[in-house]
Structure formats: structure tokens, C-alpha cells
Amino acid sequence: MLYDIRQTTTYSYQVPVRVVRQVLRMTPMDRFGHQHVIAHILDVDPEPAELEQGTDFFGNGLTWLTIDQPHGHLSITTRSRVDVTATPLPDPAATPLVDEVRVVALEEPDLGPDAAVHGLFPSRAIPIDADITDWTATSFRGDRPVLEAALELMHRVHDEFTYEPGATIVTTSPHEAFAAKAGVCQDFAQVMIAGLRGLGLPARYVSGYLRTIPPEGQPRLEGADATHAWAEVWCGPAFGWIGLDPTNAIPAGDDHIILAVGRDYADVSPVDGVIVSSGDHILAVGVDVVPVPAR
């Protein structure tokens, strides 16, 4: 699938901001076998005094910018054309057993960006939680294929939690979301990841987009007018990382465009940095993901 994506992020400040130093993760990533970024344009208003681009350890596109003039608003607009070719979901029964994945994940010598080890341990935003681990464990018998169990967990999160914008904020912990059984895509992904890591199974956080126009006859997906989040579970060296979207109870597919991957939200936050100001601000985010018709 070919997509045109537009995201506009606007900060309106109560009092003028003197200096901004930001790091942006708003460039869809090239990922072999899944997606290719054909074009990407970034517009920032006011114009930055400094702008530098690069990638982080995980291969996420980064933009560092500095604005050193007083300003009452900051507008960041990105436009991308991305070609997505989702890998078909393997037969869940053919994936390694849960106990095998636990052992292999600890023994794997690879320390590269896609190594299992980076999703194996607790991170700043996703600590191990005993309640979540116990709740997750009922799906993960040691002799069960790992993807089969992970799909069941995905459906349990979807069925037992209420999608409720406003019920949580960006700093809500997995424990708080789990106790409330409510939240948004970030919360659902983080609860799922916390449960998997608590059982010694590698899992990582993915941020991205969903198409805003569903295929004919299919329902509109939750989270399609903003950046979205889902989880990836590591299913052994032969199968690697497989994306699962607990918000919509579907595997990540042609509707999912990846922005960034990491251990948790802190690794993939679209906008992060420091401002010099004494007032509050209002944030507005708009996203359009439009399929490009085949010629």
C-alpha cells in the first residue's frame, strides 16, 4: 500500500518562548521487508536557527532543531509518502514454544538494533509489575507456541480494557492503566509489553500511524486520527519481531505505518526537548493518512 501522510503539531504558548531545543521523531522509518519512505518533507515555523538530521541506535529518524527567537507558537508539519508491504502473519502454531523463546532470548549473542535483549528487561516507562505479570501468565503455558499465546493476550487486552481518550495521560504508568482497565493505544501497548517482559519474553514499543480511510465494508480503526501505538513480540530468531495491535485486536499489517521503535514511549516520543518559558501551552495534533490510488 502506498500512503500520503501529513502530520501537523502546533504548540500555542501563553507567553512568548525565548528558546526551544527539540528532538523530533516524526520521520517514518525505512524497514526492510515492511516499508520504504519514498519522500519526506519537514516544515517548522518559526524557522529554526539550527537543524540537524540523523538516526538513533534503533534506526529511528531524528531531527534536532533550535529556535532562538521569541515566538508565541511553534508549528511542525511533516509530509511523507510511504510504501508499506506487510509481512504475512506466520502460522502461530509453527512458532517456537514459550519456554524455548525465554531460553533463546537470554542466550542470543546479538546486541544490534533488532536484538531481542533490548526488549527483554524493564525500562523507564515500563517496569515489571507483578499484577500484570500474573494476569498475562494465564495465556502463556511453557509448552504453548509463543505467537499463539501472544495473539490471545492481544485479544484479552482488547476485550477487557475500555478505549477511553482522556482516561489517562502520557505519563500514566502501565500499573495505573491496568488497574483502571481503561486508556488509549499507548496504555494498551505498554500493559501488553509489561506482561510479556514480566514472563521473560522480549517485547518492544512501536509508534506510527493508521490509515484514516478503512477498506470498503470494514469499520474505522481506533486511533486513526492521531499517532498510534502497538507492541511487537519477539518470536525467536527465525520469525523475529511481530507487531500486534491490542487497541484494534489485529496484527500490524498494511494499515500500520511505523514511525519509530524502542523500549518504551521515551524512545519514540514524536517531540521531546527543552523550552525556556514561564507559561503554559496548548498542544494540537492532526494526522491524515490517505491511501494513494494505484495507477
Side-chain angles (χ1 to χ4, degrees):
M1 289 291 297
L2 195 63
Y3 293 101
D4 281 339
I5 304 163
R6 177 186 175 95
Q7 178 176 349
T8 302
T9 303
T10 304
Y11 294 87
S12 300
Y13 303 109
Q14 285 184 337
V15 297
V17 171
R18 295 172 53 198
V19 177
V20 166
R21 177 65 173 170
Q22 303 278 27
V23 57
L24 312 180
R25 300 176 186 85
M26 300 175 69
T27 304
M29 71 184 306
D30 271 307
R31 190 169 181 182
F32 179 76
H34 180 83
Q35 69 181 40
H36 172 59
V37 180
I38 297 170
H40 178 75
I41 298 173
L42 169 69
D43 291 318
V44 180
D45 180 35
E47 185 176 353
E50 300 177 9
L51 191 148
E52 182 181 354
Q53 294 182 311
T55 57
D56 66 9
F57 172 77
F58 294 108
N60 303 318
L62 302 182
T63 301
W64 296 270
L65 62 86
T66 301
I67 300 173
D68 59 4
Q69 57 178 300
H71 54 283
H73 81 282
L74 172 62
S75 178
I76 305 166
T77 301
T78 61
R79 294 187 293 272
S80 308
R81 175 163 286 191
V82 182
D83 188 13
V84 179
T85 305
T87 303
L89 191 73
D91 178 6
T95 58
L97 303 183
V98 169
D99 280 348
E100 293 175 6
V101 173
R102 286 195 185 103
V103 173
V104 172
L106 286 172
E107 293 178 345
E108 272 286 293
D110 182 17
L111 296 177
D114 285 324
V117 66
H118 304 304
L120 191 56
F121 299 103
S123 57
R124 180 171 59 179
I126 308 181
I128 300 300
D129 184 278
D131 291 339
I132 298 176
T133 300
D134 291 344
W135 177 80
T136 303
T138 60
S139 294
F140 285 84
R141 295 191 320 272
D143 60 352
R144 190 176 189 189
V146 66
L147 183 55
E148 182 180 280
L151 286 166
E152 180 177 296
L153 175 62
M154 176 188 74
H155 283 282
R156 289 176 62 200
V157 174
H158 176 268
D159 294 344
E160 297 182 30
F161 288 65
T162 301
Y163 184 82
E164 185 178 346
T168 56
I169 59 176
V170 70
T171 56
T172 297
S173 70
H175 179 82
E176 292 169 320
F178 179 77
K181 294 295 190 294
V184 293
C185 55
Q186 174 180 319
D187 305 296
F188 294 1
Q190 292 192 148
V191 166
M192 187 168 178
I193 292 167
L196 289 163
R197 290 178 182 170
L199 297 173
L201 299 169
R204 63 185 183 183
Y205 188 98
V206 186
S207 73
Y209 303 110
L210 279 175
R211 71 152 83 196
T212 55
I213 303 173
E216 185 176 353
Q218 294 188 20
R220 184 175 174 278
L221 298 176
E222 298 284 5
D225 285 332
T227 52
H228 191 48
W230 58 96
E232 287 186 336
V233 57
W234 191 74
C235 294
F239 295 92
W241 295 98
I242 295 178
L244 301 177
D245 179 355
T247 305
N248 295 289
I250 56 175
D254 287 341
D255 292 326
H256 295 75
I257 302 101
I258 298 172
L259 263 179
V261 299
R263 294 161 297 182
D264 55 33
Y265 180 79
D267 285 338
V268 305
S269 174
V271 182
D272 196 6
V274 176
I275 67 172
V276 179
S277 177
S278 59
D280 204 349
H281 69 271
I282 297 173
L283 170 64
V285 179
V287 173
D288 290 309
V289 181
V290 180
V292 178
R295 294 183 178 178

